[in-house]
Amino acid sequence: MFINFVVSDLAAAEALYTEAGFVTLATIPGPGSVPSLVHLRREKYQDILMTQGVPARGTTSASFAAGDVDLAGVADGLRSAGADVAGPTDTLWFTTDVSFCDADGNTVILTAPRVADQAQARAWASDQISGDFEIPEGFSFDSTSR
């Protein structure tokens, strides 16, 4: 997935997203060698393209799987960098989420399954979800066994 965030200050936004675990893959120069686009990646298929411009606050958001990270530590780093951060918060759908907004109102949610609650999640799913579907042989809901 590539999402495009319009930001008013590319360097400041790039520094903030580094706190969330993103790295810069490419910087594309524009007129006068001033960067016109920054390509960030956190994990495979977790890409943000940032372009400098006049952002429309609150119009762009993305949710990414957090992977095996300390979400509380990520939240603390983002707060220290000046982001508006919510969480970590346990959700009703058995995840823990951290959401943050950059200075331009772009929102990112990092979400991770609560492994400790997987038995409860399975029980809920078996009680609430019905229909004809098959779970592939060998598939596990336990992310630690993959």
Side-chain angles (χ1 to χ4, degrees):
M1 172 171 101
F2 288 87
I3 189 159
N4 184 45
F5 285 168
V6 177
V7 298
S8 56
D9 183 337
L10 277 172
E14 185 176 7
L16 176 68
Y17 285 97
T18 298
E19 290 295 329
F22 286 88
V23 297
T24 301
L25 289 184
T27 301
I28 309 299
S33 297
V34 174
S36 64
L37 180 137
V38 174
H39 179 180
L40 302 174
R41 176 171 289 161
R42 192 172 165 279
E43 292 184 13
K44 188 175 183 179
Y45 307 124
Q46 296 184 358
D47 295 86
I48 296 175
L49 302 178
M50 294 189 310
T51 54
Q52 187 135 349
V54 179
R57 293 189 63 78
T59 60
T60 310
S61 66
S63 182
F64 297 107
D68 188 22
V69 298
D70 173 17
L71 283 175
V74 171
D76 290 343
L78 287 163
R79 283 185 185 96
S80 295
D84 179 15
V85 180
T89 304
D90 289 343
T91 68
L92 295 175
W93 44 94
F94 305 103
T95 65
T96 300
D97 295 355
V98 166
S99 67
F100 67 95
C101 290
D102 65 20
D104 298 301
N106 299 304
T107 302
V108 170
I109 300 166
L110 299 175
T111 185
R114 288 196 314 269
V115 176
D117 294 335
Q118 291 303 300
Q120 183 182 358
R122 277 190 220 97
W124 179 90
S126 69
D127 289 344
Q128 302 296 320
I129 301 171
S130 63
D132 282 339
F133 62 92
E134 294 181 19
I135 298 173
E137 187 173 324
F139 179 82
S140 172
F141 288 102
D142 181 3
S143 64
T144 60
S145 67
R146 292 183 193 164

